[in-house]
Amino acid sequence: MADAIMGWFGPRSVDVRATLDLPSGPAEITVEDYRAALRQMQFEAGLAGVRPDVEDETVLAYAALMKLADEFEVVTTEEELRLMLLQNMPSIGDYRAFYTRQGFTRAVDFEAMLARTQRVRKLKILLSASTVVSEPQVLKAWHDLYDEMRFSFR
């Protein structure tokens, strides 16, 4: 029992938090993947000045996005990272003090975490851009949420 626990679908390794199906096949979200997702979410929330949503489902969803970004080979180029930093420098002020406040002792570590965060953001944009919603779907969603709707035709 030390090396396995009962999951919803039978025994699984203690190191596995969840499983998911990627285009290349089944994958696992390990405890280390979960911790990496949590660290990344906390980093991203810290940059935004908000508290991270650390509910188990949210962290697992973020870990799944990280796995999917790996699967689709989403990258943040050095140029994209440089432009992002340059655009935010006026609000950042002293760069060294900024990344130190974020908990990093070296700029390269801060920038690596920032690049990983950008990968997930980029993936979200790619996924949302591929979604096309038709007018009937919008009207049905509206109808499901609200009791009445008023139209004005001209």
Side-chain angles (χ1 to χ4, degrees):
M1 186 73 174
D3 61 344
I5 59 173
M6 290 301 289
W8 285 101
F9 302 104
R12 64 179 184 187
S13 168
V14 171
D15 291 336
V16 176
R17 294 290 311 235
T19 58
L20 66 150
D21 289 324
L22 295 174
S24 64
E28 296 176 335
I29 295 175
T30 64
V31 170
E32 186 52 41
D33 295 329
Y34 182 91
R35 289 179 183 144
L38 181 59
R39 280 191 304 271
Q40 201 162 313
M41 289 175 65
Q42 290 169 332
F43 171 77
E44 192 172 348
L47 288 178
V50 298
R51 293 184 140 193
D53 178 1
V54 293
E55 294 293 322
D56 213 29
E57 288 178 359
T58 307
V59 178
L60 288 170
Y62 199 94
L65 287 172
M66 291 171 64
K67 290 275 188 187
L68 199 54
D70 290 341
E71 175 86 2
F72 291 146
E73 298 178 0
V74 177
V75 296
T76 299
T77 65
E78 288 183 24
E79 181 65 16
E80 290 170 326
L81 190 59
R82 186 182 72 75
L83 285 173
M84 182 180 15
L85 288 170
L86 285 174
Q87 290 170 351
N88 291 300
M89 281 309 285
S91 64
I92 290 174
D94 178 21
Y95 186 55
R96 186 164 199 231
F98 178 74
Y99 70 73
T100 303
R101 278 193 312 271
Q102 299 300 320
F104 295 88
T105 56
R106 301 179 325 149
V108 69
D109 297 330
F110 170 76
E111 291 165 4
M113 180 64 90
L114 191 59
R116 286 191 296 273
T117 301
Q118 275 305 109
R119 289 179 66 230
V120 172
R121 286 184 184 168
K122 215 187 241 190
L123 177 69
K124 287 178 181 179
I125 291 168
L126 290 170
L127 292 174
S128 65
S130 66
T131 303
V132 179
V133 181
S134 68
E135 185 177 340
Q137 289 171 314
V138 171
L139 292 173
K140 182 182 179 332
W142 177 274
H143 177 71
D144 291 346
L145 292 172
Y146 302 100
D147 290 331
E148 64 181 69
M149 183 185 308
R150 190 174 311 181
F151 287 95
S152 175
F153 295 98
R154 293 178 189 207

